[in-house]
Amino acid sequence: MAALIVAALAQVGDRIAWLAAILADRYRKPFVVVTMAALALAAAGAIAATFGALLAPKLTPEAKQLFLAIALILLGTGVVGRIKAPDRLTGWRLGAMATSFLGLFILAFGDGIQFVVLALAARTTMPWLAVIGATAGSLVPIAAAAILGERDWLALPLVTARRIISILFLVSGLGLALSATGLI
């Protein structure tokens, strides 16, 4: 559930959703783009969760909580403000499925959500749940962007939403960090 909520909030106005809108407009196949986004996000999340599961035995419960706090704080600092437009992938001639999968995977793999998935996977005995939650949560704004299209997606108050979301992540991360260090 934590991965679902964090991912859904973090993807609001993010480059992945923006690229999904661009590709849905270009190919006029929003459901193909959303399907490829799901596969790309699941693949990137699986890589992060695998590393989280490998890291888990080496961390104390407090270290795991501090790791998640740092991930949320970093995500909060990355979410604030305007974002740089994603590469439109105009030179890619791979078709709707391959372009969507590869382009969205590249953006997802370097996204802050993957750090949160890694941290959440390190905290549980079922790391695959972090992948499922993050993928499902991310798909909510990505599907909305793909269905709306680029023009309508960018007309939404994304900057304001991202600032509010940034504050939520920063406060949550700070609270977890203070708790993990025993300060509260």
Side-chain angles (χ1 to χ4, degrees):
M1 187 56 79
L4 185 136
I5 292 168
V6 169
L9 291 173
Q11 293 300 347
V12 171
D14 196 33
R15 291 169 33 137
I16 297 171
W18 193 349
L19 180 59
I22 290 168
L23 295 173
D25 283 350
R26 181 189 325 166
Y27 294 113
R28 292 187 174 88
K29 296 180 180 181
F31 296 106
V32 168
V33 172
V34 171
T35 302
M36 292 301 104
L39 294 174
L41 292 164
I47 293 168
T50 299
F51 283 106
L54 293 172
L55 186 63
K58 299 175 184 351
L59 300 174
T60 66
E62 294 81 13
K64 291 174 185 178
Q65 186 168 338
L66 188 57
F67 188 38
L68 179 58
I70 292 168
L72 287 172
I73 291 169
L74 290 174
L75 191 59
T77 58
V79 169
V80 71
R82 295 192 183 277
I83 58 169
K84 180 182 156 202
D87 184 325
R88 301 182 81 77
L89 309 179
T90 53
W92 292 33
R93 302 284 181 232
L94 303 172
M97 292 177 75
T99 299
S100 297
F101 177 80
L102 292 172
L104 293 168
F105 175 80
I106 290 167
L107 277 181
F109 191 69
D111 195 40
I113 293 296
Q114 300 314 307
F115 194 46
V116 173
V117 169
L118 194 149
L120 288 171
R123 292 179 58 149
T124 181
T125 58
M126 297 179 284
W128 51 272
L129 288 176
V131 177
I132 292 170
T135 300
S138 293
L139 284 178
V140 173
I142 289 171
I147 292 167
L148 288 172
E150 184 180 16
R151 182 179 51 92
D152 291 339
W153 176 249
L154 294 178
L156 296 173
L158 299 174
V159 173
T160 302
R162 288 178 63 81
R163 287 183 181 147
I164 293 167
I165 291 165
S166 173
I167 292 168
L168 290 172
F169 287 156
L170 291 171
V171 169
S172 298
L174 184 59
L176 280 173
L178 291 174
S179 176
T181 57
L183 295 174
I184 59 167

